[in-house]
Amino acid sequence: MTGSVQDRQPEAGKRYDVFHTDCPARDVVDHVTSRWGVWVLISLRSNSLRFYELRDGIQGISEKMLAQTLRALVQDGLVWREVEPTTPPQVTYGLTDFGQDIGEPLTDLFDRITQRLPPRSE
C-alpha cells in the first residue's frame, strides 16, 4: 500500500463506499478500532511519545503488537514516526492532523464512558 488513505481521495464529488469490501477507508476503520489502535491514538492525543513510553503506558500490549499497530497507523497517515540516528535509535511517534481529527471523538467517547461508570470501589 503506497501513501496514506487521506492521500488517496476519491474523484471530486464521490465518497468512499465503506460498505464495499475493497474500500480503503475500511482498512483505516479496522486499524483505528482494533484492540490496540484505539489505545495508541488516545495515548498520543496530547503529546508525542517514544516507543518505550507507549509500551509502558498501554498495559497489556506486547512490543510486537505495538510495533504492528504503529506501523498500520503510520501507513494510514494517522501517526507520524521520527527516528533519531542515535545508538540505539530513538523513535518518537505523534498524531498527524488526520490522527488528531480521528482521536478527538475517541477521547470524547472515553470521557463520556468514564463519567457514566459507577465510582470504583477499592
Side-chain angles (χ1 to χ4, degrees):
M1 196 160 120
T2 58
S4 68
V5 170
Q6 68 178 5
D7 295 336
R8 293 179 280 129
Q9 295 294 322
E11 294 176 31
K14 291 188 178 181
R15 296 184 53 85
Y16 285 110
D17 181 4
V18 296
F19 293 103
H20 192 276
T21 57
D22 293 335
C23 180
R26 283 180 83 155
D27 290 336
V28 176
V29 171
D30 287 345
H31 297 153
V32 168
T33 60
S34 70
R35 179 173 183 188
W36 300 112
V38 170
W39 302 116
V40 168
L41 292 173
I42 289 174
S43 296
L44 293 172
R45 72 185 178 269
S46 52
N47 57 354
S48 57
L49 297 170
R50 295 222 170 113
F51 183 89
Y52 76 89
E53 293 172 314
L54 282 165
R55 183 199 61 213
D56 293 347
I58 304 172
Q59 294 184 3
I61 193 169
S62 68
E63 285 191 17
K64 177 182 176 183
M65 286 309 305
L66 178 57
Q68 287 177 356
T69 302
L70 285 166
R71 194 174 305 118
L73 295 173
V74 167
Q75 190 172 9
D76 291 339
L78 298 167
V79 172
W80 55 261
R81 176 181 190 265
E82 181 181 301
V83 180
E84 296 176 37
T86 59
T87 305
Q90 295 180 350
V91 184
T92 305
Y93 296 90
L95 294 180
T96 63
D97 289 341
F98 185 31
Q100 289 285 352
D101 287 346
I102 300 301
E104 285 177 28
L106 291 175
T107 301
D108 291 342
L109 173 67
F110 282 93
D111 287 346
R112 289 178 187 201
I113 290 170
T114 56
Q115 289 169 2
R116 296 273 187 161
L117 287 175
R120 291 181 60 177
S121 58
E122 296 188 32

